[in-house]
Amino acid sequence: MATTEIYRYLSLPKKEIPLDPEGYLVNQADWGREVAEALALEEGITLSDEHWEIIEVLRDFYARFEQAPAMRPLVKAVSRALGDEKGRSIHLMRLFPGSPPKVAARIAGLPKPTNCL
């Protein structure tokens, strides 16, 4: 569940974006391409077309089910949308190191997945 507690701000050239204590957006309406790129840079990631494909799948999943997916549902959703080769945990780990569901959800402007620590 997303929190409304502001812990810090993501500084963009024309705007300050409030983030919660775990670095997720306080207000999902603040999300956009520029915000995603800035959040990704904080993770040490430069977004490529492959990253954007996963972000789009994540945002579609959230629009349908009103929650960000944990690893298994994420793998299944990516596999259905982009094919079995991209729908593998190893592919997601390469793109979003550490915890792909958490890192990708954060960059996609979504709340932390429910089943992720």
Side-chain angles (χ1 to χ4, degrees):
M1 175 180 285
T3 180
T4 57
E5 177 187 350
I6 297 173
Y7 181 72
R8 67 181 178 95
Y9 291 88
L10 178 68
S11 294
L12 299 177
K14 296 182 181 181
K15 193 172 185 183
E16 295 282 311
I17 307 294
L19 302 177
D20 74 10
E22 294 187 76
Y24 292 86
L25 296 179
V26 169
N27 181 1
Q28 289 182 18
D30 287 334
W31 188 83
R33 192 171 186 95
E34 183 182 27
V35 172
E37 290 170 352
L39 290 169
L41 284 177
E42 286 191 347
E43 298 284 345
I45 297 170
T46 301
L47 296 178
S48 67
D49 289 342
E50 286 184 303
H51 291 96
W52 284 108
E53 287 178 329
I54 305 302
I55 290 168
E56 288 175 21
V57 170
L58 264 169
R59 291 187 61 82
D60 181 58
F61 187 100
Y62 187 83
R64 288 181 178 188
F65 303 108
E66 297 181 1
Q67 67 180 15
M71 190 61 156
R72 283 186 181 187
L74 175 59
V75 167
K76 189 172 184 177
V78 171
S79 182
R80 284 186 177 164
L82 304 174
D84 290 338
E85 193 61 35
K86 292 183 179 183
R88 307 181 93 180
S89 57
I90 193 79
H91 178 69
L92 297 173
M93 288 290 291
R94 182 179 59 79
L95 294 174
F96 302 98
S99 173
K102 286 174 57 177
V103 173
R106 182 173 175 262
I107 293 169
L110 305 175
K112 180 177 157 184
T114 314
N115 295 333
C116 290
L117 302 174

